[in-house]
Amino acid sequence: MEKYREKLEYPKIIARLAEYASFAVSREQLEQLEPLPTLQQAKEAMAATTEGVELLRLYPTYSLGPCRDIRDSLRRVELGGTLSVEQLVAVADLCRAARLNKDFFSHVKGHFPQLTELAKGISLFKTIENALDKALTADAQIADAASDRLYGIRRRIRTYERQIQEHLENFIRNPNTSKFLQEPIVTQRAGRFVVPVRQECRSSVAGLVHDVSSSGATLFVEPLAVMQANNELARLHAEEEDEIAAILRALSMLIASNAEELNYSLNCLARLDFIMAKARLSQDMQATACQLNDNGLINLKQARHPLIKGQVVPIDLRLEPRLKVMVITGPNTGGKTVTLKTVGLLTLMAESGLHIPAEPGSSLNFFRQVFADIGDEQSIEQSLSTFSAHMSNIVNILQNAADDSLILLDELGSGTDPTEGAALAMSILEYLHRCSGKTLATTHYSELKSFVYNKNGYINACVEFDVETLQPTYRLLLGIPGKSNAFQIAQKLGLQLDIIQRANSFLTADEQQVADLISSLESNKLQAEQASREADLRLAEIVEQQRRLKEQEIELANREAEIISKAQLQAAELVKERRREAEELYQKLKQELKAAGAQPHNKEVQAARSKLQKLQESLQSNLPTKKYQGEAPAKMQVGQSVEIPKLHQSGIVSTLPDAKGELMVQIGVMKVNVKLADLRIDERRVEQERTGGTRRMIKDKSRHISPEVDLHGLTVEEAIYELDKYLDDAFLANLHQVRIIHGRGTGALKAGLMPYLQKHRLVASVKQADYNDGGWGVTVVELK
């Protein structure tokens, strides 16, 4: 199968994919990626790539970290060997990467089942990491603190070196001895301190000669006065080497005791990187997940060949399960071969768990075998492709084809007598129709166009050609065969009309009928496509217009109910007010009559009271319940967006309805109790939330984000990693100012963070906090 994948350029995709690997282990895995053997495995691999893409969308700065390939080192320590300093640094980097990824995936927000499961397999190696951090310096040397004995040895080495240098400095500054020197400097030869003595003054300086210059004019002499100190220094250096060797052995033994866990974590990290490399390739190709099936459906929407540079014309191709053979016709350089390669390559990519450069909703059938006989017509090698070579390849394909095979044949039957070639091509297609899953073939033979036309399980297709410009459009048209357009092209290029007419007369009646039929079909197809596009646009406009009218209708109805309700409430209030005034007038009149010794006419007063009471009751009973348009929701979920028409507000459901049908709704900073019947679904908010994942993320960030982040105890690298995530979250939560707590300490953490903050894309300004607000230990950051 390897040669067929090469014809479809699958290895080029794998080579491009491997470039996204972070280290050698995952790179090797990516370079060995092949289509998976089962549909379920391919679906799981595709889902993992989708997880990686979503992770990069939410956490664009995520990286695997300082991961190194330590497989050779682990094999060495398992055999009892000792690791070098460079190998120990690589182990330290792996331990650090394991810790950072373990921590990252333990706090990550989102649904990443495969990635988090891999992260669970990573172990923490605190003992190893701490031991290596203590023993190694930043420039990959053994640190003084690696052991107490090493610290003491190096302290004595520095003491002896200082004494020797002081003595020799006095030697070269002394006018009695400096005159014997070639230069007034102290240098080293064979690890011993020496001075450059002129050759003719050799007898004037007592000591041991360790080296001679190339010219012989200078001798490098170790004076007798420092010989004993140099001897002691050499002994201390030997002790230092012995101690370093002992430290390396001890560290190697520590690593050996954890070799199995280190190797397993290494593989988990490599697998994480493997998935994230696929995700980064998907991002760069603007690819999407493909739906894999086993029912025979191929449905590519705006598919693009991933290796073609520049402007690529996408293709739409749909092969229903019942269609087993597609014959593509059209002019040279029109895109027939590219169509075959696109279908084949995208199939291999999808079966390998890769996203494909096509629109969402594309589907591909899972084929266990993909065969291809494709010759690049634009290649110099095409002239070497003989009928025999093509036929030998096709024979091999026919011998291995099965009902789960995808077969791609370019220029089927070409390279021999056209009549025999066409007949052979028709026979091959019939055979493949019986025994293979899907066959896509390109041809120039007119006989194949009529052979396929209106035949069960077959379909014609062509690549479109613009006769006016003499250029292919690279669009694939399904359901119609293509024309050669030879006569039209010749006429456009200036061939005499009488020659073209004479050529046309040589065509048989059947050939002319087929040409006319093709022309008619192509014309009808284009008209039908144009009509379909116009109908779709018109339908979309009508649906949008109906939606707007419905919204306006609901708004007007609600406004009308509100106006009527307010008017009747005002009328009822007016009657109530008048009744109160009449009652006050009656009481006043009653008091005046009583003071005058007269009796009030209770009968008339009672009648007036009754009349007012009936008027008020009538108005009250006629007050309409505010009936707002739209249905009250049957069910409610916490967090759902709703409208409260009577309050002219929108809010978020905080609690579920109780036994009385009442629930709590959050409106801004307030919470109110409302009845379920008084709520309406906020359709506009629902649509916004459906498409606005970012808004939901922002809302979540704004609830939980703190205005400060504590980076105490972290290294500069770890602090930058945490700070990058925090600044993104703070920006999304619309915080304008945040505090970075890094502590005073040695000042190294603050010094390391300053250049990063000053160049960060979200940071407007950086300043030290006031004395009462943390002073030197806190940095205040203004966000853009």
Side-chain angles (χ1 to χ4, degrees):
M1 299 302 293
E2 186 64 32
K3 68 175 182 178
Y4 301 119
R5 292 173 190 166
E6 287 181 3
K7 286 181 177 291
L8 295 170
E9 301 180 284
Y10 179 77
K12 292 183 180 179
I13 290 293
I14 297 305
R16 181 174 171 185
L17 174 63
E19 293 176 358
Y20 294 93
S22 297
F23 70 127
V25 185
S26 55
R27 186 177 300 109
E28 289 176 9
Q29 294 179 1
L30 291 165
E31 289 171 345
Q32 296 168 7
L33 179 63
E34 294 183 343
L36 293 157
T38 68
L39 174 62
Q40 184 58 35
Q41 286 176 307
K43 285 183 175 181
E44 290 175 359
M46 181 83 70
T49 304
T50 302
E51 286 184 27
V53 170
E54 179 64 11
L55 183 76
L56 291 176
R57 186 185 70 81
L58 294 175
Y59 304 92
T61 60
Y62 168 78
S63 68
L64 194 69
C67 210
R68 305 273 291 277
D69 181 7
I70 63 168
R71 289 174 296 180
D72 288 344
S73 298
L74 294 179
R75 284 191 289 267
R76 184 178 180 86
V77 295
E78 286 179 332
L79 294 173
T82 300
L83 300 184
S84 67
V85 175
E86 292 75 12
Q87 290 171 319
L88 290 174
V89 170
V91 174
D93 285 342
L94 180 78
C95 294
R96 190 173 299 109
R99 174 171 52 81
L100 292 174
N101 280 276
K102 185 85 170 178
D103 178 68
F104 175 81
F105 282 100
S106 66
H107 295 92
V108 70
K109 300 279 192 300
H111 186 63
F112 308 105
Q114 294 196 52
L115 293 174
T116 51
E117 188 64 27
L118 280 172
K120 287 179 183 176
I122 299 172
S123 300
L124 293 176
F125 304 97
K126 292 184 178 178
T127 302
I128 296 176
E129 190 176 356
N130 291 339
L132 292 175
D133 285 346
K134 178 182 178 183
L136 302 175
T137 64
D139 57 348
Q141 300 294 325
I142 297 295
D144 292 356
S147 74
D148 292 341
R149 182 166 181 264
L150 181 64
Y151 178 80
I153 291 171
R154 286 185 172 173
R155 183 169 56 80
R156 282 182 285 160
I157 286 174
R158 286 190 287 270
T159 299
Y160 273 101
E161 286 178 343
R162 188 168 55 253
Q163 290 174 357
I164 293 170
Q165 287 182 333
E166 287 176 356
H167 188 90
L168 292 179
E169 288 288 340
N170 291 332
F171 183 87
I172 63 178
R173 284 198 297 266
N174 188 331
N176 295 325
T177 54
S178 62
K179 60 186 178 182
F180 306 128
L181 302 179
Q182 194 72 262
E183 293 181 84
I185 60 170
V186 176
T187 184
Q188 282 187 308
R189 289 294 185 272
R192 302 176 76 87
F193 289 94
V194 295
V195 291
V197 178
R198 288 185 292 174
Q199 195 277 337
E200 62 271 21
C201 301
R202 168 67 185 89
S203 59
S204 302
V205 179
L208 184 64
V209 177
H210 286 279
D211 197 5
V212 181
S213 68
S214 57
S215 65
T218 304
L219 305 176
F220 295 95
V221 177
E222 177 187 3
L224 288 176
V226 297
M227 193 171 292
Q228 183 59 37
N230 266 331
N231 289 339
E232 185 62 22
L233 192 58
R235 186 187 65 77
L236 288 173
H237 279 305
E239 286 187 18
E240 179 188 28
E241 292 300 322
D242 290 342
E243 181 61 17
I244 288 175
I247 292 168
L248 294 179
R249 284 194 299 272
L251 292 173
S252 298
M253 291 175 62
L254 176 61
I255 293 167
S257 65
N258 292 270
E260 186 175 347
E261 292 86 351
L262 282 165
N263 190 60
Y264 189 81
S265 296
L266 174 67
N267 288 327
C268 288
L269 288 167
R271 195 65 190 173
L272 275 175
D273 195 47
F274 177 90
I275 293 173
M276 297 311 298
K278 294 194 298 178
R280 289 188 170 89
L281 176 65
S282 174
Q283 280 189 330
D284 285 357
M285 290 194 310
Q286 298 180 339
T288 60
C290 170
Q291 299 171 12
L292 285 168
N293 65 80
D294 56 0
N295 59 17
L297 174 65
I298 295 178
N299 183 23
L300 291 175
K301 301 178 179 179
Q302 297 289 287
R304 308 175 305 278
H305 194 289
L307 296 176
I308 297 178
K309 300 185 182 299
Q311 187 68 27
V312 180
V313 178
I315 62 168
D316 291 306
L317 187 151
R318 184 179 179 90
L319 271 180
E320 300 290 349
R322 63 179 180 83
L323 296 173
K324 299 187 68 177
V325 175
M326 171 184 279
V327 174
I328 306 173
T329 50
N332 290 335
T333 73
K336 301 190 304 297
T337 303
V338 170
T339 298
L340 292 187
K341 286 187 173 182
T342 300
V343 175
L345 180 56
L346 267 53
T347 298
L348 294 174
M349 289 174 62
E351 292 178 358
S352 303
L354 299 174
H355 285 181
I356 64 172
E359 288 299 304
S362 294
S363 300
L364 283 170
N365 184 72
F366 182 85
F367 297 100
R368 284 176 175 78
Q369 299 179 98
V370 178
F371 298 100
D373 179 52
I374 296 177
D376 188 354
E377 294 183 355
Q378 284 71 48
S379 173
I380 297 175
E381 296 176 0
Q382 177 66 16
S383 61
L384 303 178
S385 298
T386 64
F387 174 76
S388 297
H390 277 294
M391 194 50 56
S392 176
N393 198 23
I394 290 173
V395 167
N396 183 61
I397 291 173
L398 296 181
Q399 289 173 345
N400 293 280
D403 59 3
D404 58 1
S405 302
L406 172 63
I407 297 173
L408 307 169
L409 304 174
D410 193 26
E411 299 298 345
L412 180 61
S414 64
T416 186
D417 177 78
T419 303
E420 293 180 356
L424 194 58
M426 287 186 280
S427 179
I428 291 172
L429 290 179
E430 274 193 343
Y431 177 85
L432 291 174
H433 180 267
R434 291 194 303 270
C435 70
S436 72
K438 296 281 185 185
T439 299
L440 278 71
T442 68
T443 184
H444 282 291
Y445 294 141
S446 298
E447 292 88 343
L448 264 66
K449 305 173 188 176
S450 54
F451 170 76
V452 170
Y453 180 68
N454 211 22
K455 199 173 182 119
N456 187 33
Y458 295 75
I459 186 173
N460 268 308
C462 70
V463 286
E464 189 181 45
F465 188 84
D466 189 338
V467 180
E468 295 299 323
T469 63
L470 302 181
Q471 293 293 327
T473 66
Y474 302 103
R475 289 181 61 228
L476 183 68
L477 305 178
L478 302 181
I480 58 173
K483 299 192 302 179
S484 66
N485 297 302
F487 293 167
Q488 292 91 332
I489 294 172
Q491 184 176 355
K492 283 284 183 182
L493 293 174
L495 189 63
Q496 293 172 247
L497 184 59
D498 58 334
I499 296 177
I500 293 173
Q501 290 172 344
R502 179 58 178 160
N504 194 53
S505 69
F506 287 125
L507 293 176
T508 66
D510 288 343
E511 289 170 336
Q512 289 179 354
Q513 186 176 0
V514 169
D516 292 340
L517 174 62
I518 291 173
S519 180
S520 176
L521 284 172
E522 187 170 355
S523 177
N524 291 339
K525 176 78 172 180
L526 293 175
Q527 291 176 8
E529 286 184 352
Q530 180 64 24
S532 176
R533 285 193 294 269
E534 292 176 356
D536 289 343
L537 289 173
R538 182 60 181 157
L539 179 61
E541 291 175 358
I542 292 172
V543 170
E544 177 62 20
Q545 189 175 20
Q546 287 178 337
R547 186 190 65 77
R548 288 199 300 265
L549 289 174
K550 184 66 176 176
E551 287 183 354
Q552 292 173 3
E553 180 184 346
I554 293 174
E555 186 178 351
L556 289 172
N558 289 340
R559 192 179 300 172
E560 180 184 8
E562 193 73 30
I563 291 171
I564 293 173
S565 177
K566 284 183 179 179
Q568 293 189 331
L569 282 172
Q570 290 173 356
E573 190 64 31
L574 184 61
V575 171
K576 184 178 179 180
E577 179 66 20
R578 293 296 177 267
R579 183 181 179 194
R580 185 184 61 77
E581 291 177 356
E583 185 65 29
E584 290 177 355
L585 183 60
Y586 166 72
Q587 292 296 337
K588 184 177 180 182
L589 180 60
K590 181 178 178 181
Q591 290 175 3
E592 289 177 354
L593 290 173
K594 188 175 181 179
Q599 293 295 325
H601 299 284
N602 289 331
K603 187 175 181 180
E604 291 81 354
V605 170
Q606 193 62 37
R609 277 179 172 173
S610 178
K611 190 174 181 179
L612 281 169
Q613 180 67 27
K614 287 179 180 179
L615 178 59
Q616 183 177 1
E617 290 175 356
S618 175
L619 281 170
Q620 195 69 36
S621 64
N622 287 327
L623 284 176
T625 303
K626 295 181 184 177
K627 293 183 179 180
Y628 294 95
Q629 295 295 310
E631 296 292 330
K635 294 182 179 180
M636 192 60 60
Q637 296 179 346
V638 174
Q640 188 170 353
S641 297
V642 293
E643 288 183 337
I644 312 173
K646 65 167 59 178
L647 299 179
H648 304 290
Q649 295 286 346
S650 296
I652 305 294
V653 174
S654 296
T655 63
L656 295 176
D658 57 18
K660 298 180 181 178
E662 295 182 351
L663 64 156
M664 192 80 73
V665 176
Q666 178 97 30
I667 304 175
V669 296
M670 298 186 302
K671 289 186 177 180
V672 296
N673 265 324
V674 294
K675 293 182 177 179
L676 182 61
D678 292 335
L679 298 179
R680 297 291 181 269
I681 298 297
D682 189 344
E683 298 293 347
R684 283 171 292 185
R685 288 285 293 277
V686 169
E687 176 64 18
Q688 291 171 357
E689 290 176 1
R690 184 179 70 82
T691 58
T694 302
R695 293 191 186 96
R696 290 196 300 274
M697 182 175 67
I698 292 172
K699 187 191 299 178
D700 182 66
K701 297 295 184 188
S702 62
R703 289 198 189 106
H704 304 293
I705 191 70
S706 168
E708 63 183 30
V709 60
D710 192 343
L711 305 178
H712 270 108
L714 300 181
T715 65
V716 174
E717 180 182 359
E718 294 167 348
I720 288 176
Y721 178 80
E722 294 295 331
L723 187 54
D724 192 67
K725 292 192 297 181
Y726 173 76
L727 291 177
D728 284 343
D729 292 348
F731 181 77
L732 289 176
N734 204 27
L735 295 182
H736 299 295
Q737 185 183 88
V738 294
R739 301 171 72 248
I740 312 299
I741 303 174
H742 42 68
R744 290 177 171 82
T746 63
L749 180 56
K750 179 177 182 178
L753 293 178
M754 285 303 105
Y756 166 78
L757 287 171
Q758 290 164 355
K759 295 179 181 179
H760 198 282
R761 65 191 186 285
L762 300 178
V763 174
S765 65
V766 180
K767 65 178 181 179
Q768 182 177 310
D770 294 336
Y771 178 78
N772 294 327
D773 196 31
W776 176 261
V778 176
T779 296
V780 178
V781 174
E782 295 285 344
L783 298 178
K784 294 180 180 178

